[in-house]
Amino acid sequence: DSGEPGQGRRDLVVTEGSATSSHRFVPSTSAASVRRIGQTIPPEEANGEFIGVLLLSKAGARLVSGVARELQGRGAGPFHEADSLERASLTDLLQELISRGHPVDCIDVYKGWMEVNTFDDYRRAWAEIR
């Protein structure tokens, strides 16, 4: 736990092509490719934090959709960091793409976002943007 309000375990990323040691942004001076993503990555190994935003091209959307459909036919059991596919998160799906050799790139996001994990976080966010 990071100690921040409403903040539990963070979705950290390990990238290639990034020189930063901060967990809050990936520098724009390098094209960074995500090598690992998830909540069990030791913070000292991470280059950044996934903020939960994903932008896909049409081809990328087809790929993600196809992999998700394919995974629905797999048997029970763990799926990356999740106990099961049904309990998997977006980061588990992204790690699946990475494990299959598909490129997952990341961009800088170092301000203009806030954590909203609980209803209290939501209230704080609304109070701040009003």
Side-chain angles (χ1 to χ4, degrees):
D1 189 338
S2 69
E4 296 176 30
Q7 179 78 330
R9 295 172 62 185
R10 300 183 311 195
D11 293 314
L12 298 179
V13 295
V14 175
T15 63
E16 180 179 296
S18 176
T20 186
S21 61
S22 170
H23 299 287
R24 293 294 180 176
F25 72 95
V26 176
S28 61
T29 57
S30 64
S33 295
V34 179
R35 293 293 170 231
R36 291 187 349 217
I37 185 167
Q39 295 182 351
T40 60
I41 295 171
E44 62 275 6
E45 292 179 22
N47 302 95
E49 179 179 354
F50 178 58
I51 66 166
V53 177
L54 183 66
L55 175 66
L56 298 169
S57 65
K58 285 183 183 182
R62 281 192 298 273
L63 173 67
V64 169
S65 176
V67 168
R69 276 193 307 277
E70 177 190 325
L71 290 170
Q72 288 175 339
R74 97 190 251 289
F79 180 67
H80 294 285
E81 294 181 346
D83 295 339
S84 65
L85 184 61
E86 292 77 25
R87 297 183 53 91
S89 68
L90 178 57
T91 57
D92 293 311
L93 180 57
L94 291 173
Q95 185 58 56
E96 178 68 15
L97 294 171
I98 294 164
S99 296
R100 291 179 178 210
H102 297 289
V104 174
D105 294 326
C106 56
I107 61 169
D108 292 356
V109 177
Y110 60 92
K111 63 180 180 177
W113 64 282
M114 63 182 65
E115 294 288 338
V116 180
N117 297 316
T118 67
F119 191 67
D120 286 338
D121 292 344
Y122 170 78
R123 281 189 231 161
R124 272 192 292 279
W126 265 112
E128 190 170 317
I129 62 173
R130 281 186 179 192

